[in-house]
Amino acid sequence: MKVLVPVKRVIDYNVKARVKADQTGIDLANVKMSMNPFCEIAVEEAVRQKEKGAATEVVAVSIGPAQAQETLRTALAMGADRAILIQTDADPEPLAIAKLLQAVIAQESPDVVIMGKQAIDGDNNATGQMLSALLDWPQATFANAIELSAGKATVCRDVDGGIQTVDVALPAIITADLRLNEPRYASLPNIMKAKKKPLDITEAASLGVDIAPRLSVVKVTEPPKRGGGIKVETAADLVNKLKTEAGVL
């Protein structure tokens, strides 16, 4: 069973994002980048499925600039067998990413795609669902447990009312939620081994997919700064201020 895992290069989650002076986007100059945390969880799950014999090959794929090779090397160090970079300097929207992944899937023919439910930069939570629709494959989103077997996957999903368990026929799209697992740290020997694992680079233009943007960013602004709090003497004062000043009661 072949597992395909899309991964994305994003601003490291420990870094405070800064808005450009002209408010056209986020300033990425000299900013630490790393693998999207939800993608890390997806890679870890694919590797675990291989370790217990449910999968035979794990292929990581990323869409982005040449620097995304570093992200793919991290996936290889975690245990992926090989990697594919769809190289582009553009910042594709979710639909364009789904179409590029559709083209890769047509070439690779994986049995299942395990991917993060969303990226922490755009927070769209859309690519997995769009990819499922384009391929006409079943989907199981927000997974917190996955069991792969011959011809099907049993997935426990986080939903508002608790946990929902679904069976989906393979091939299928599964998106990973935070509670699925805790990703491993890549050891130094595995980081060295990852340098020798195959990493193929394909230009996005060669896949014949229109990745022209359909949306335009009007303005990016930081959230307003919170004002300082005040102390009140009694509960009655608190209730009065909540009613008259805050207007929340």
Side-chain angles (χ1 to χ4, degrees):
M1 180 181 293
K2 181 191 290 188
V3 182
L4 187 79
V5 187
V7 298
K8 187 176 184 182
R9 177 177 180 264
V10 299
I11 294 179
D12 189 89
Y13 67 92
N14 289 310
V15 174
K16 185 182 185 318
R18 300 189 307 272
V19 176
K20 291 180 180 178
D22 59 3
Q23 297 185 324
T24 58
I26 302 299
D27 186 3
L28 300 180
N30 302 315
V31 174
K32 181 183 177 183
M33 308 292 282
S34 61
M35 188 188 302
N36 175 49
F38 290 101
C39 298
E40 278 190 309
I41 293 169
V43 172
E44 174 66 24
E45 186 61 28
V47 172
R48 290 189 185 190
Q49 294 294 336
K50 183 184 175 186
E51 288 174 343
K52 66 182 184 180
T56 55
E57 184 182 24
V58 176
V59 182
V61 58
S62 188
I63 299 167
Q67 295 91 325
Q69 293 181 55
E70 300 170 10
T71 306
L72 288 170
R73 291 294 178 194
T74 300
L76 293 171
M78 291 175 67
D81 297 294
R82 57 188 178 90
I84 302 168
L85 172 61
I86 308 303
Q87 189 165 306
T88 176
D89 290 327
D91 184 16
E93 295 169 0
L95 180 58
I97 294 171
K99 288 181 177 180
L100 289 169
L101 290 175
Q102 181 187 22
V104 173
I105 289 168
Q107 297 174 354
E108 291 291 327
S109 300
D111 298 282
V112 63
V113 176
I114 302 177
M115 60 195 300
K117 71 170 185 175
Q118 65 193 76
I120 61 172
D121 51 2
D123 270 339
N124 291 299
N125 182 20
T127 303
Q129 292 88 331
M130 289 178 170
L131 181 58
S132 170
L134 290 171
L135 294 168
D136 197 23
W137 286 8
Q139 61 176 307
T141 54
F142 316 129
N144 69 40
I146 300 171
E147 190 70 34
L148 297 178
S149 57
K152 77 170 186 177
T154 300
V155 181
C156 295
R157 305 178 58 240
D158 283 324
V159 295
D160 290 341
I163 296 176
Q164 178 189 49
T165 302
V166 297
D167 285 341
V168 290
L170 299 181
I173 307 295
I174 301 174
T175 68
D177 212 334
L178 280 175
R179 290 197 292 173
L180 181 56
N181 59 54
E182 184 174 341
R184 70 192 70 189
Y185 287 102
S187 64
L188 182 58
N190 287 336
I191 292 173
M192 300 306 293
K193 290 177 184 177
K195 295 180 179 180
K196 298 181 179 179
K197 291 183 178 181
L199 193 162
D200 298 325
I201 300 175
T202 302
E203 292 295 330
S206 68
L207 295 176
V209 175
D210 178 16
I211 61 173
R214 289 166 169 78
L215 304 173
S216 60
V217 176
V218 177
K219 184 169 65 173
V220 177
T221 59
E222 293 186 7
K225 288 184 169 58
R226 294 181 59 181
I230 61 171
K231 292 183 179 180
V232 295
E233 297 296 329
T234 65
D237 289 340
L238 173 61
V239 172
N240 182 56
K241 287 186 179 296
L242 289 175
K243 283 182 177 179
T244 60
E245 296 182 16
V248 297
L249 291 180

